[in-house]
Amino acid sequence: MTAGTQSRAWFERARAALPGGVDSPVRAFRAVGGTPIVIQGANGQTIVDVDDRPYLDFVGSWGPLILGHAHPKVVAAIEAAARGGTSYGAPCRAEIELAEQVVESYPGIEQVRFVSSGTEAVMSAVRLARGATGRDLIVKFSGCYHGHVDHLLVAAGSGLVTFGKPSSAGVPADFAGLTRVLPLDDEAALDALFAAEGDRIAAAIIEPVPANNGLLMQRPAFLKALRAHCDAFSALLIFDEVITGFRLGPGGAAAHYGLVPDLATFGKVIGGGMPVGAFAGRRELMRELAPEGSVYQAGTLSGNPVAMAAGLATLDVLRESDGWQALDERGRYLEQVIGEALRESPFPASLARIGSIFWIALLASAPPRTAEAVGPASGKAYANLFHSLLGQGIALAPSAYEVGFLSLAHSRADIDRLGEALRVALADANPGEPTDDQA
Ligand SMILES: *Cc1c(COP(=O)(O)O)cnc(C)c1O
């Protein structure tokens, strides 16, 4: 689909004033081609561009908007909080209440510190893990994303896979040299790394439900093996629950798998659409943080009263309305509807889903478990699919590697609409030929 004249004009201005026209790279449509739509507003399950075209939205701001856009209770909470002052630089009631909710909800957690993004949460949790263990090495898994933290913008090097090399300019090789990168779904690789270097590892960090390279569902046995290796070598296990925290349920992926990490990171849903991140752990670990301990960490806007109010209102609505169960039911319905559409696809396509998170894996007859198993050819097929859906008034994320999100604002009728549009799009999405719109 071609962006409208207003979107084109605004994006022209954007390209002059913002690098690439955006503040976060994937928004620029580079992975799918064409000009991004520029947004003027959103409500419920609908997002509207500056040409007044509405789209049924399955991006949900990349995960935070579990109630849909501009939920009245969240908007009211933000308004009320803002009237009382937008920032104090001092403790406030809302941050204490939200911290208590995290502690009550998430397994093994006794204390929380709030920050302003998921990246900041991960960066601080890694520093805390290093400070608490006195070790430097960090283990990450190929296909997991943890924000743009220097030590985690690291890809598997060639040859011996575990040694990291920077995946972004500006990250010193010396930083990447402290990161080890392992494939997902591979106990043998875990055994080998921990046997060789286990006593130098501060922490292993993983998205227990990897949802940033498609949705790479892991075998519970693999996650259990990771927990066991960390225990055996007194390394910490960090669950990055920035997507899954308070989306899969109040206990996140930890409760889903019955595994307790040493530290967990949060973002997205916990801020109800405002900039919030958090990291949390047992008191004995968290007290290593300044002012009690020697690991420095701080933030002018951390625990911001307006953002905390949005997070609290979001969790209130989820609890009051049995939201997580409703989302899972809707997810099951989506699995059925999309499953039917995919069975008619002219090329192989499959669906991965957990709760309200879903991913359509093109050119794969079963959803992959590792980043390495996601074929590069799926990108072109996805670009065609994406533009066909956008032309039919449905917004998925502009990249084959991004998942879709359901919110409580999505009805069964919305999911039916997605299923019908998907049938058309799959028929259009000949993986061999890009459509004219992307030229
Ligand atoms: C989005 C995300 C982050 C980074 O959060 P930001 O708020 O974008 O900095 C970190 N980890 C995971 C798993 C994420 O999905």
Side-chain angles (χ1 to χ4, degrees), residues 117-119 145-147 207 212 240 242-243 268:
S117 71
T119 295
Y145 175 69
H146 304 292
E207 292 177 79
N212 278 288
D240 184 348
V242 170
I243 284 184
K268 300 192 173 123

Side-chain angles (χ1 to χ4, degrees), residues 252-344:
H256 178 80
Y257 287 110
L259 288 170
V260 180
D262 299 292
L263 294 169
T265 56
F266 302 91
K268 300 192 173 123
V269 169
I270 205 180
M274 298 291 284
V276 177
F279 61 106
R282 294 187 301 279
R283 188 168 299 113
E284 139 221 345
L285 273 176
M286 297 300 282
R287 76 163 161 244
E288 299 287 335
L289 285 172
E292 288 189 274
S294 53
V295 177
Y296 190 71
Q297 197 284 330
T300 302
L301 294 173
S302 296
N304 174 271
V306 181
M308 296 291 110
L312 279 170
T314 299
L315 297 190
D316 280 353
V317 172
L318 284 165
R319 282 186 212 285
E320 279 165 15
S321 61
D322 232 336
W324 290 291
Q325 197 179 324
L327 284 163
D328 195 47
E329 275 161 22
R330 252 160 269 189
R332 280 174 212 275
Y333 185 65
L334 174 133
E335 189 169 320
Q336 179 194 323
V337 167
I338 292 194
E340 280 164 23
L342 294 184
R343 274 192 286 283
E344 292 168 25

Side-chain angles (χ1 to χ4, degrees), residues 88-109:
Y88 310 133
C92 68
R93 280 179 295 197
E95 75 185 318
I96 299 163
E97 287 172 3
L98 191 54
E100 287 169 352
Q101 289 217 19
V102 177
V103 168
E104 278 161 28
S105 305
Y106 194 90
I109 288 309

Side-chain angles (χ1 to χ4, degrees), residues 3 8 24 33 53 61 147 204 248 266 277 280 301 326 335 338 340 343 372 396 437:
R8 284 169 178 274
S24 199
R53 295 178 181 168
S61 187
L248 293 186
F266 302 91
L301 294 173
E335 189 169 320
I338 292 194
E340 280 164 23
R343 274 192 286 283
E372 293 70 26
L396 290 190
D437 288 338

